[in-house]
Amino acid sequence: MVNIRPIVMEDVDFMWEMLYEMIHIPVNKPPREELLSKPEVKRCLYGWGRTGDRGFIAVDDDQISVGAGWYRLFPANEPGYGFIDEQTPEIEIAVSSSSKGQGIGSQLLRRLIEQAGLDGYQAISLSVDPTNAALHLYERFGFTKVGTSGTSWTMKLDLPK
């Protein structure tokens, strides 16, 4: 069983770990520091706590962080991987490898969708490689493909009004 709680600033180091985990590179994944220092990756989390940043941490019964999910807005001149527009926050979700397959990603995604609606957003987006098993999770929640960027799909979920 996990508990989903809001992110606090002390969670940022764990979020960086999860950012590395969520990047789906099937073969020859670069070392952590090399990958996370790339500007297009770094912007997913750098400067966490700015206006519009919102997220949640999944913690187990021992209060160990086992997953993270967050969203943030991006400007058009520095888009995220799943960028649609400046009014649509982009979601990032990852679960630690030892905790995958337990429904934690679903719980985080459900909470992010709920919060985005409460925050007044009309839609949310994400980026996923179609070979990533997470694609099925996103489709199950109603995300649809709206474009491609490199080998990844940009997906969008319209939120209830």
Side-chain angles (χ1 to χ4, degrees):
M1 185 71 180
V2 298
N3 181 44
I4 306 296
R5 63 163 175 77
I7 286 172
V8 295
M9 290 308 290
E10 290 79 17
D11 295 318
V12 173
D13 286 343
F14 178 72
M15 293 167 69
W16 281 105
E17 290 176 35
M18 291 294 92
L19 181 58
Y20 182 75
E21 286 292 320
M22 78 178 64
I23 298 171
H24 182 74
I25 300 174
V27 180
N28 299 326
K29 189 171 186 176
R32 184 179 188 274
E33 294 307 316
E34 178 184 331
L35 186 58
L36 294 180
S37 67
K38 292 183 178 197
E40 64 274 17
V41 173
K42 192 176 180 179
R43 73 175 58 122
C44 295
L45 188 51
Y46 183 76
W48 178 261
R50 66 187 192 197
T51 302
D53 287 353
R54 182 82 74 158
F56 301 93
I57 297 289
V59 295
D60 67 14
D61 290 335
D62 296 322
Q63 300 305 304
I64 304 295
S65 298
V66 295
W70 65 88
Y71 59 77
R72 74 181 340 182
L73 296 167
F74 292 95
N77 64 336
E78 289 189 323
Y81 285 108
F83 183 80
I84 292 179
D85 59 42
E86 293 183 347
Q87 291 75 45
T88 304
E90 185 176 330
I91 286 181
E92 310 286 351
I93 295 178
V95 175
S96 63
S97 56
S98 63
S99 298
K100 289 184 188 271
Q102 299 176 30
I104 297 168
S106 295
Q107 291 178 52
L108 285 164
L109 184 55
R110 189 174 295 110
R111 187 66 185 93
L112 288 167
I113 292 168
E114 177 185 286
Q115 188 63 54
L118 291 171
D119 287 345
Y121 293 111
Q122 295 179 20
I124 52 177
S125 68
L126 56 84
S127 174
V128 64
D129 188 293
T131 64
N132 187 331
L135 172 64
H136 304 294
L137 168 69
Y138 303 137
E139 289 175 331
R140 201 169 70 240
F141 274 81
F143 283 83
T144 57
K145 180 182 173 186
V146 295
T148 57
S149 177
T151 61
S152 294
W153 291 3
T154 300
M155 300 185 82
K156 178 181 177 186
L157 175 68
D158 291 316
L159 300 173
K161 297 193 186 268

